[in-house]
């Protein structure tokens, strides 16, 4: 009887995992609290078995992140966005000339190796993620992995020779991932496209070639082999600190592009590829792929009618990062060379991390000129700046008081809209780090609250321990390394973690501290010590800046 109840609870939990929250709440409304706890336990255990990272995120945040809107609501919002054909014609001649000058400065580009037959060794060396979901064609990663590399190379070369991807492989399905804990509307979701496994594998090999022959602008630190979050945050922190120390004028504009990946113009992107001199066969293949590809919008077990993609690059495709970087290269190259903040012997004009763009200038006139260039070139590529999520921090020295004066009145325009001004005490988030006018600040994440959520979750003790080791501590390390934190604070956090683990495992209070942090093979629990780990990571990650471009 108990086993049948458990099976029933597991089945209901699976149904709840693939349905939206509204229907889940309706299903649980008439149940007793005991039955609800049993069903919730079955749901979390099933999720922990199938997707441990997602289960850990839900437990740490204390929020069940799921699609809270119906397929009809999401389709009504996203179909017009995806189907609309952008009228952007591509970058202006002046922007292309600026990009060509940048490329000539960096050395001649050789694209001859981009569209040549694939070799077996090249297919073997590709870094394809095998822990991924199958596409609409149903080919699973484990099935495709069994195909010999030589056979895969033959298949890829047949597509390369004809320049045409088979029609079933061009189709994909789009799922929605919430960007917030409680999505307020359909716009608070990130559409992720799931294409065919063979096509994604071919694109991963092609992306590696494209990155080798067409490296992005040095100011672009996303989708490259670098610790981009550390580099951009460190440079921004250094600029803010230098401005305050030297009492120099500094303007920092944090710009956010509205649905950047979903609004890039296909026509402008293909035109840019041709203007940069990439092989015509490659450009034509990309053009046909985007012109003929369709997707279905999926919520749980429900699917919409096919949606023809009129613009945007497919999130989830290995070629997306490189193609989007090429679009951003035009924007970065168009920035005025004489504008920027002088940091030591370098002029810092921009920091880019995918579609997160930070502009820096030493004068109000220079900042407005940079903003105008971004608006002009971005519009030509089909990109629009989200005025509500963009702002400017302006620090102007006051010679009489020997202090900085922070502008509060709106001084800068993006198109016809005014950008808001950030005050001296206001915080803003950039790449997971909180910033103020003084620079990086300690993240306000409360590890104690996260530990409380883990304690309340319907988990087994060993699962709680696994979440702490593999998910909780790694999530906080980024902020602890880049934020300002003291040794005493790290020690206090270690005490909180050890206290929670002691309660979960019902350990006596006199258990040695070393037992918690010793490796498993030596008889310990292998919980990383923040007091020992964070300083080492600071030295290791900041040490790489010496060799960074």
């Amino acid at each position: 009887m108990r086993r049948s109840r458990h099976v029933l609870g597991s089945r209901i939990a699976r149904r709840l995992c693939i349905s939206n929250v509204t229907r889940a709440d309706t299903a649980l409304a008439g149940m007793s609290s005991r039955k609800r706890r049993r069903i919730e336990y079955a749901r979390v255990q099933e999720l922990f078995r199938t997707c441990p990272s997602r289960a850990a995120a839900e437990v740490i945040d204390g929020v069940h992140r799921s699609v809270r809107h119906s397929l009809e609501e999401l389709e009504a919002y996203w179909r017009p966005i995806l189907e609309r054909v952008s009228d952007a014609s591509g970058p202006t001649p002046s922007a292309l000339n600026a990009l060509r000058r940048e490329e000539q400065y960096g050395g001649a580009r050789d694209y001859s190796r981009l569209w040549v037959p694939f070799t077996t060794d090249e297919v073997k060396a590709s870094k394809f993620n095998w822990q991924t979901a199958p596409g609409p064609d149903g080919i699973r990663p484990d099935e495709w992995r069994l195909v010999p590399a030589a056979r895969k190379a033959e298949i890829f070369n047949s597509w390369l020779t004809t320049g045409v991807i088979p029609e079933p492989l061009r189709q994909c399905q789009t799922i929605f991932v919430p960007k917030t804990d409680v999505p307020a509307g359909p716009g608070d979701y990130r559409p992720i496209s799931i294409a065919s496994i063979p096509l994604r594998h071919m694109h991963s090999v092609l992306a590696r070639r494209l990155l080798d022959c067409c490296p992005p602008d040095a100011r672009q630190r996303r989708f490259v082999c670098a610790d981009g979050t550390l580099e951009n945050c460190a440079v921004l922190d250094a600029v803010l600190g230098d401005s305050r120390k030297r009492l120099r004028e500094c303007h920092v504009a944090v710009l956010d592009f509205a649905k950047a990946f979903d609004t890039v113009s296909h026509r402008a992107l293909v035109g840019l590829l041709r203007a940069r001199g990439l092989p015509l066969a490659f450009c034509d293949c990309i053009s046909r792929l985007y012109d003929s590809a369709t997707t279905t919008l999926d919520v749980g077990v429900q699917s919409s009618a096919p949606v023809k993609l009129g613009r945007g690059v497919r999130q989830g495709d290995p070629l997306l990062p490189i193609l989007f970087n090429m679009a951003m290269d035009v924007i970065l190259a168009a920035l005025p060379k004489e504008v920027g903040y002088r940091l030591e012997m370098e002029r810092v004009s921009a920091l880019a991390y995918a579609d997160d763009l930070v502009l820096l200038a030493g004068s109000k006139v220079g900042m407005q000129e940079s903003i105008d260039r971004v608006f002009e070139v971005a519009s030509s590529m089909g990109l629009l700046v989200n005025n509500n999520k963009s702002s400017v921090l302006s620090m102007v020295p006051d010679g009489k008081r020997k202090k900085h004066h922070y502008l509060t009145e709106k001084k800068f325009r993006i198109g016809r809209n005014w950008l808001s001004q950030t005050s001296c005490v206001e915080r803003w988030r950039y790449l997971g780090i909180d910033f103020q006018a003084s620079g990086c600040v300690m993240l306000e994440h409360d590890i104690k609250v996260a530990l409380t959520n883990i304690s309340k979750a319907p988990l087994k003790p060993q699962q709680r321990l696994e979440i702490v080791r593999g998910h909780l501590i790694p999530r906080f390390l980024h902020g602890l390394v880049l934020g300002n934190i003291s040794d005493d604070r790290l020690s206090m956090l270690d005490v909180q973690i050890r206290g929670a683990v002691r309660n979960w495992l019902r350990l006596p209070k006199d258990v040695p501290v070393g037992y918690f942090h010793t490796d498993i093979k030596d008889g310990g629990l292998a919980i990383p010590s923040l007091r020992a780990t964070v300083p080492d990571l600071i030295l290791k990650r900041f040490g790489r800046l010496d060799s960074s471009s």
Side-chain angles (χ1 to χ4, degrees), residues 28 42 61 87 116 241 258 305 332 398 441 464 486 540:
L28 295 174
D61 296 332
D87 55 0
V116 296
L332 294 173
D398 187 339
V441 295
R464 294 191 175 99
S486 64
K540 183 178 180 180

Side-chain angles (χ1 to χ4, degrees), residues 221 231 542-549:
R221 308 314 292 167
E231 294 178 4
F542 278 88
R544 298 195 191 115
L545 291 178
D546 291 338
S547 59
S548 172
S549 58

Side-chain angles (χ1 to χ4, degrees), residues 142 165 205 220 238 249 275 292 346 353 368 373 375 414 430 548:
D142 54 346
I165 306 297
V205 182
Q220 175 63 261
E249 184 174 356
S292 60
E346 295 289 337
Y353 193 83
Q368 186 60 63
R373 295 282 184 90
F375 178 78
I414 181 78
Y430 178 64
S548 172

Side-chain angles (χ1 to χ4, degrees), residues 168-187:
L169 302 185
R170 295 198 299 267
Q171 315 313 315
C172 61
Q173 60 189 49
T174 300
I175 62 174
F176 296 94
V177 179
K179 293 190 291 186
T180 60
D181 292 338
V182 183

